[in-house]
Amino acid sequence: FDDSSWERATENPGDDHVLTKPREEGLCFESITPAKVVYGDSCFVDLGGEYVGYLSVTAKGEPGETVRVRCGQELDGEGRVRYRLRAGCCYDEEWILSGGEDRLEWFDYKSFRYAEITPLHGAKILGVSFTARHHGFTLAAAVKDAYKDDPDVKKVFDLCVRSQRYGVQELPMDCMEREK
């Protein structure tokens, strides 16, 4: 499209918005090493805690073979990933392979702890990684001295810190998967 005849963008002096530098840095991305990856008929991944971000999977199979990717925040009674989340999301997808070595890269983030990656035919899972995303975060609080040796207080404090670190994307949210 030829836009050469358009006027250049200029500031509107009558506009009531005031441009300022952001108080915080934008989104940060960090590689998370899963706490557990078990390869077998399917690949089971436990990130060790709930994160918000992108699963990446490398697989090889024949053209048209599929791989099922299920993610969830908890396990069911049989130890399988509960991919129908309580917030109403269904994290169940099929990935169609090209016949070469393929890499699944998600376009949008998901909020989960566990993943189950299952080749539906003869494909092989070659590797799994995860990239978490969150707003910049600097911890400025600490447990008061009177409670610092209490393991229950430490657990609650650590949960609050994780919730603030990974629960803030564009704004603070109480349920990442439901709010986006």
Side-chain angles (χ1 to χ4, degrees):
F1 177 79
D2 181 10
D3 63 356
S4 61
S5 65
W6 290 12
E7 291 182 36
R8 295 182 69 76
T10 60
E11 184 178 345
N12 179 351
D15 188 51
D16 63 350
H17 292 87
V18 177
L19 300 178
T20 60
K21 289 187 176 192
R23 291 183 305 216
E24 301 170 1
E25 60 184 288
L27 284 174
C28 299
F29 299 87
E30 64 180 293
S31 294
I32 302 297
T33 301
K36 181 178 186 181
V37 178
V38 179
Y39 292 94
D41 292 337
S42 63
C43 176
F44 174 81
V45 179
D46 178 356
L47 297 174
E50 185 169 347
Y51 289 94
V52 177
Y54 314 93
L55 184 68
S56 182
V57 182
T58 306
K60 185 163 180 57
E62 296 298 318
E65 285 185 340
T66 56
V67 175
R68 170 159 275 142
V69 181
R70 291 178 166 168
C71 300
Q73 299 164 332
E74 56 190 309
L75 302 175
D76 65 17
E78 298 172 8
R80 305 287 307 267
V81 174
R82 188 176 185 276
Y83 59 92
R84 293 186 190 281
L85 280 58
R86 296 178 189 272
C89 301
C90 182
Y91 286 171
D92 181 10
E93 302 173 4
E94 278 192 19
W95 172 31
I96 302 171
L97 302 178
S98 71
E101 187 172 299
D102 293 310
R103 186 168 177 88
L104 173 67
E105 297 282 353
W106 280 344
F107 170 75
D108 200 8
Y109 66 83
K110 289 183 173 57
S111 173
F112 66 97
R113 174 179 177 164
Y114 303 102
E116 200 171 78
I117 306 153
T118 308
L120 300 181
H121 302 290
K124 298 287 183 215
I125 304 303
L126 304 176
V128 177
S129 62
F130 184 79
T131 302
R133 60 175 262 164
H134 56 84
H135 259 280
F137 180 85
T138 302
L139 183 60
V143 176
K144 291 189 175 208
D145 285 343
Y147 301 104
K148 69 179 182 180
D149 294 328
D150 185 326
D152 291 332
V153 170
K154 180 165 177 21
K155 286 179 187 176
V156 170
F157 183 79
D158 290 347
L159 176 63
C160 292
V161 169
R162 279 189 61 80
S163 297
Q164 286 298 307
R165 181 182 311 267
Y166 297 107
V168 177
Q169 300 296 312
E170 291 82 17
L171 59 132
M173 298 184 218
D174 69 333
C175 182
M176 295 305 307
E177 64 283 353
R178 182 186 69 227
E179 300 292 343
K180 70 178 210 175

